Amino acid sequence: MEITGRLIGSGRASDVYEIDEAWVLRRARDGYGDALAEAAVMERVRGHGYPVPRVRIADSTRTELVMERLHGPTMLAAFGAGRIGAREAGEVVAGLLRRLHAVPGRVVHLDLHPDNVMLTPDGPYVIDWANAEEGDPGLDWGMSAVILAQVAVGDEPIAEPARAMLTGLLADASPMTEEGLSEARRRRAANPTMSRRETELLGQAEELIRSLL
């Protein structure tokens, strides 16, 4: 699809362009991911009432995904603006994980954290399903926990709030498993988009998670 709209967002592996007030196009850089497979998962969970953007599969390709334009900040941005507390943000992520794992078919997101949740007038919506697959809910909890814990043990200003978010996430983490946490650490270590410093923090991150369980 030819893009004439402005660039409105960028992530580690893709850029998002405005189509109009209702739709955006997310374009992968370097051929990362499979947008058609991602769109199919999104439609699948949306069919069970899970809060994800609508997609236009017919207008999408393997590297370009046309999806509904959501209005509102990410939950991380909302925290920065003082609109939501850190622990509450973690609790919202926990609720979204539980709700997802109630969808038939064992769908797991594997990248569910406050920067992939948008707070819209209709409630929180989950974005960025590039890593989604069918799998063990324990792995999904492990991935969310490891992502937050990596930030919490770092030296950025967001470290302390990230620890509070992690505490909220793990307040009732009964689906967390030893196998899920170990596999989550392994997958994060193999993630090509992470920096060397982020990878080095994985050991401390796992220790922090275990101390909070």
Side-chain angles (χ1 to χ4, degrees):
M1 172 178 283
E2 183 178 353
I3 297 301
T4 57
R6 62 189 175 94
L7 178 69
I8 58 175
S10 293
R12 293 192 183 209
S14 61
D15 301 303
V16 179
Y17 296 87
E18 177 184 63
I19 296 176
D20 54 35
E21 280 299 304
W23 298 94
V24 297
L25 183 141
R26 194 198 67 201
R27 174 177 289 158
R29 296 192 294 273
D30 302 321
Y32 180 82
D34 184 341
L36 292 175
E38 183 179 354
V41 173
M42 293 170 70
E43 284 293 273
R44 176 178 167 186
V45 299
R46 194 173 73 86
H48 290 278
Y50 196 76
V52 299
R54 291 175 294 150
V55 295
R56 293 190 343 217
I57 295 180
D59 294 325
S60 301
T61 68
R62 192 184 68 80
T63 59
E64 296 184 338
L65 177 61
V66 177
M67 60 184 175
E68 178 183 5
R69 184 173 186 174
L70 300 177
H71 295 277
T74 67
M75 192 155 60
L76 185 61
F79 164 75
R83 293 177 53 183
I84 187 172
R87 185 180 175 107
E88 182 185 357
E91 292 169 349
V92 171
V93 171
L96 289 166
L97 284 170
R98 291 184 185 280
R99 187 172 171 185
L100 175 61
H101 301 153
V103 172
R106 293 172 61 86
V107 176
V108 290
H109 185 278
L110 302 183
D111 198 21
L112 215 173
H113 54 78
D115 212 25
N116 277 341
V117 178
M118 294 191 68
L119 299 183
T120 78
D122 296 320
Y125 272 64
V126 178
I127 60 172
D128 198 350
W129 292 76
N131 296 332
E133 61 184 57
E134 292 184 2
D136 180 8
L139 172 59
D140 220 2
W141 281 83
M143 291 296 290
S144 292
V146 169
I147 290 167
L148 285 174
Q150 279 179 284
V151 180
V153 298
D155 53 10
E156 298 295 325
I158 192 67
E160 185 175 345
R163 184 183 180 112
M165 292 175 190
L166 179 64
T167 301
L169 173 72
L170 298 179
D172 182 15
S174 54
M176 178 80 78
T177 63
E178 179 69 32
E179 296 79 7
L181 180 55
S182 297
E183 177 64 7
R185 176 176 173 177
R186 186 194 70 78
R187 291 197 185 201
R188 288 292 285 176
N191 188 329
T193 70
M194 287 208 311
S195 68
R196 179 178 178 180
R197 174 58 178 160
E198 287 173 313
T199 303
E200 291 172 346
L201 292 173
L202 282 168
Q204 296 176 56
E206 184 175 353
E207 290 177 5
L208 175 58
I209 293 167
R210 294 184 184 281
S211 74
L212 295 174
L213 288 173

